[in-house]
Amino acid sequence: MPDADEQHQHLAAALIHAADACKRSFARAVEGHGLTHTQARALFALDEPQPMSALAEVLSCDASNVTLVADQLEQLGLAERRPASDRRVKLLALTDLGATRRDEVGASVSAQSFPSSRLDASERTTLLGLLERLLGPDAD
Amino acid sequence: MPDADEQHQHLAAALIHAADACKRSFARAVEGHGLTHTQARALFALDEPQPMSALAEVLSCDASNVTLVADQLEQLGLAERRPASDRRVKLLALTDLGATRRDEVGASVSAQSFPSSRLDASERTTLLGLLERLLGPDAD
DNA sequence: TATTGTTATACTCTATAACTATA
DNA sequence: TATAGTTATAGAGTATAACAATA
């Protein structure tokens, strides 16, 4: 097996492992707020109102699944569907409660021993930059 | 929200997103070989025979789930359970077919446009190093 | 008593396909 | 015809709890 192959595979394994650790840390931090990690990810993605399809891209899942997440966030009173100029489109937007909750959840996430606390600030910046290049303009 | 909080959250989001992209790329590459991405991850983890519990750690899942993965790999003829000196322990080991398959799958994974191809070799080395520090000695 | 692996079970995530309504 | 969102459904991943065999 060529070295390049092996590096790709180790990198993939490390990425998946690191993300699993992040997901679980995330999930633990947010479960006290009554949210699943998917709901929390959606919450953080809604700085601006987003079409459902845009949210699907952020969550890297099929659009059909966003319907459920949106339903859940609406039931919790954290987000609401709004009409858009193109009447096929629905914009999902945080409610005031949702924005408040997002900040509370964000504080919990950072407060607990998050995996990325093992890195210093400049390492985190480097890592973030590499990940963004990795994801690239058309990650999917 | 303090900057540090925000950086943690962006980093977590980027990591999860990157890993999702890797998982899907991985899954597409291995489905032609009749494997799920979990089965493929297990295959790559079995360079040396591993106790089921060790495999659970690599796959970052509960030990109870490894039973199913091991069953599947055994049914495919790719791995086998072997007794260990501690007779409570079962070692999962690749068969010859399993080792061959792992190399074939590895080639497929690298051959297709894998997300990490967007980075050059030295960037990949940097990324891998950061991820390993992130995971740390006791990532869970 | 504690630990390894197993079984049974339930919940979440995710994709596919068929549908509605708009464009 | 094509697109955004929805619904229904099925498969895969995951955790919890109770259990057997062994330490």
Side-chain angles (χ1 to χ4, degrees):
Chain A
M1 193 181 339
D3 275 0
D5 281 20
E6 222 167 337
Q7 197 187 31
H8 278 295
Q9 286 159 27
H10 285 152
L11 196 48
L15 256 178
I16 294 175
H17 200 155
D20 283 343
C22 277
K23 274 189 189 173
R24 248 197 312 283
S25 172
F26 213 81
R28 271 186 231 117
V30 305
E31 72 185 349
H33 298 274
L35 297 174
T36 67
H37 92 267
T38 303
Q39 291 164 358
R41 281 175 72 195
L43 218 54
F44 287 119
L46 289 176
D47 264 327
E48 296 300 323
Q50 301 283 337
M52 315 285 280
S53 56
L55 202 49
E57 203 169 329
V58 173
L59 300 179
S60 48
C61 70
D62 190 86
S64 63
N65 299 303
V66 178
T67 298
L68 179 62
V69 177
D71 287 348
Q72 294 168 338
L73 291 180
E74 275 200 328
Q75 248 180 337
L76 292 167
L78 303 178
E80 60 185 11
R81 287 171 169 91
R82 291 184 190 159
S85 56
D86 181 335
R87 279 160 55 207
R88 292 173 302 182
V89 174
K90 293 173 193 172
L91 294 173
L92 196 64
L94 289 186
T95 60
D96 290 344
L97 178 60
T100 304
R101 190 68 59 83
R102 183 203 52 200
D103 292 345
E104 291 167 358
V105 172
S108 292
V109 168
S110 297
Q112 90 167 53
S113 75
F114 200 65
S116 55
S117 304
R118 294 164 186 270
L119 303 180
D120 65 35
S122 88
E123 288 174 320
R124 287 200 295 270
T125 302
T126 303
L127 177 54
L128 189 54
L130 286 173
L131 289 174
E132 278 167 359
R133 284 206 45 208
L134 186 78
L135 291 172
D138 303 299
D140 259 305
Chain B
M1 194 182 333
D3 275 0
D5 282 20
E6 224 167 334
Q7 196 186 31
H8 278 297
Q9 286 158 27
H10 285 152
L11 195 48
L15 255 178
I16 293 175
H17 201 155
D20 283 342
C22 276
K23 272 189 190 173
R24 248 197 312 283
S25 172
F26 213 81
R28 272 186 230 117
V30 305
E31 72 186 348
H33 298 273
L35 298 173
T36 67
H37 93 268
T38 303
Q39 290 163 359
R41 281 175 72 194
L43 217 55
F44 287 120
L46 288 177
D47 264 327
E48 296 300 322
Q50 301 282 337
M52 314 286 280
S53 55
L55 202 50
E57 203 169 329
V58 172
L59 300 177
S60 49
C61 69
D62 190 86
S64 63
N65 300 303
V66 178
T67 298
L68 179 62
V69 177
D71 287 348
Q72 294 167 339
L73 291 179
E74 275 199 328
Q75 247 179 336
L76 293 166
L78 303 179
E80 60 184 12
R81 286 173 169 91
R82 292 184 191 158
S85 56
D86 181 335
R87 280 159 53 205
R88 292 174 302 183
V89 174
K90 293 175 192 171
L91 295 174
L92 196 65
L94 290 186
T95 60
D96 289 344
L97 178 60
T100 304
R101 190 67 60 85
R102 183 203 51 200
D103 291 345
E104 290 167 359
V105 173
S108 292
V109 167
S110 296
Q112 88 168 54
S113 75
F114 201 66
S116 54
S117 305
R118 293 164 186 271
L119 304 180
D120 65 34
S122 88
E123 288 173 320
R124 287 200 295 269
T125 303
T126 303
L127 178 54
L128 190 53
L130 286 172
L131 289 174
E132 278 167 358
R133 284 205 46 207
L134 186 79
L135 292 173
D138 304 299
D140 259 304

